[in-house]
């Protein structure tokens, strides 16, 4: 497994991309998110983002790549555990995030989009 991360300002576009029906396979996990569409998730994140008005890039985009030889060994439950463990290891417990698998390339990967502003108003560094 290899992961990449970038702080971004275009959260709405990234959520739309990650959750687009033609690309998304399934939502595998989320934290402090009730919405099921990109617009609903964005509205929830924006409500929390208002506490970090000085922060420029208010979202985090993680892409977690799964090794091709491991794909067949992983059930949806395993992917949920991977997303949750990854988020915990990255210190995202007090942050809204959503993770979904993608089927738009030959290799399975998970997009995890997180709010950089925590529910406590602190900016994730």
């Amino acid at each position: 497994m290899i992961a990449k991360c970038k702080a971004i300002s275009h959260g709405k576009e990234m959520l739309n991309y990650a959750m687009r029906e033609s690309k998304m396979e399934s939502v595998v996990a989320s934290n402090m998110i009730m919405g099921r569409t990109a617009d609903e998730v964005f509205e929830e994140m924006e409500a929390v983002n208002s506490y970090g008005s000085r922060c420029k890039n208010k979202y985090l985009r993680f892409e977690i790549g799964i090794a091709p030889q491991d794909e067949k060994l992983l059930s949806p439950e395993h992917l949920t555990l991977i997303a949750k463990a990854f988020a915990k290891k990255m210190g995202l417990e007090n942050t809204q995030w959503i993770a979904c698998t993608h089927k738009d390339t030959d290799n399975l990967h998970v997009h995890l989009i997180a709010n950089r502003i925590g529910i406590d108003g602190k900016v994730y560094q």
Side-chain angles (χ1 to χ4, degrees):
M1 174 173 44
I2 297 175
K4 300 185 284 186
C5 176
K6 185 170 185 169
I8 59 173
S9 62
H10 55 281
K12 184 171 184 145
E13 290 82 7
M14 188 60 215
L15 285 164
N16 282 330
Y17 171 80
M19 298 180 76
R20 189 178 309 146
E21 276 187 45
S22 62
K23 294 182 179 283
M24 185 178 76
E25 194 166 57
S26 66
V27 172
V28 293
S30 64
N31 189 52
M32 294 186 275
I33 295 289
M34 299 293 292
R36 287 290 146 225
T37 68
D39 287 339
E40 291 170 349
V41 172
F42 180 72
E43 277 185 36
E44 290 178 49
M45 287 185 171
E46 281 293 290
V48 173
N49 274 342
S50 64
Y51 296 110
S53 60
R54 291 182 16 194
C55 183
K56 185 177 179 180
N57 294 323
K58 295 183 179 183
Y59 297 90
L60 296 168
R61 180 193 79 203
F62 294 94
E63 187 174 317
I64 305 165
I66 307 298
Q69 65 271 22
D70 293 338
E71 284 185 37
K72 292 179 177 65
L73 305 173
L74 298 174
S75 68
E77 292 80 18
H78 287 117
L79 293 169
T80 297
L81 292 172
I82 288 169
K84 287 181 177 182
F86 179 84
K88 184 173 183 173
K89 192 94 166 164
M90 296 304 297
L92 299 173
E93 296 95 348
N94 292 324
T95 304
Q96 296 166 304
W97 57 264
I98 190 162
C100 52
T101 55
H102 256 217
K103 58 182 179 182
D104 63 335
T105 66
D106 291 338
N107 298 326
L108 176 67
H109 59 283
V110 177
H111 286 281
L112 189 147
I113 299 92
N115 196 341
R116 214 171 139 214
I117 312 300
I119 57 166
D120 56 4
K122 293 180 181 174
V123 178
Y124 180 87
Q125 296 298 327

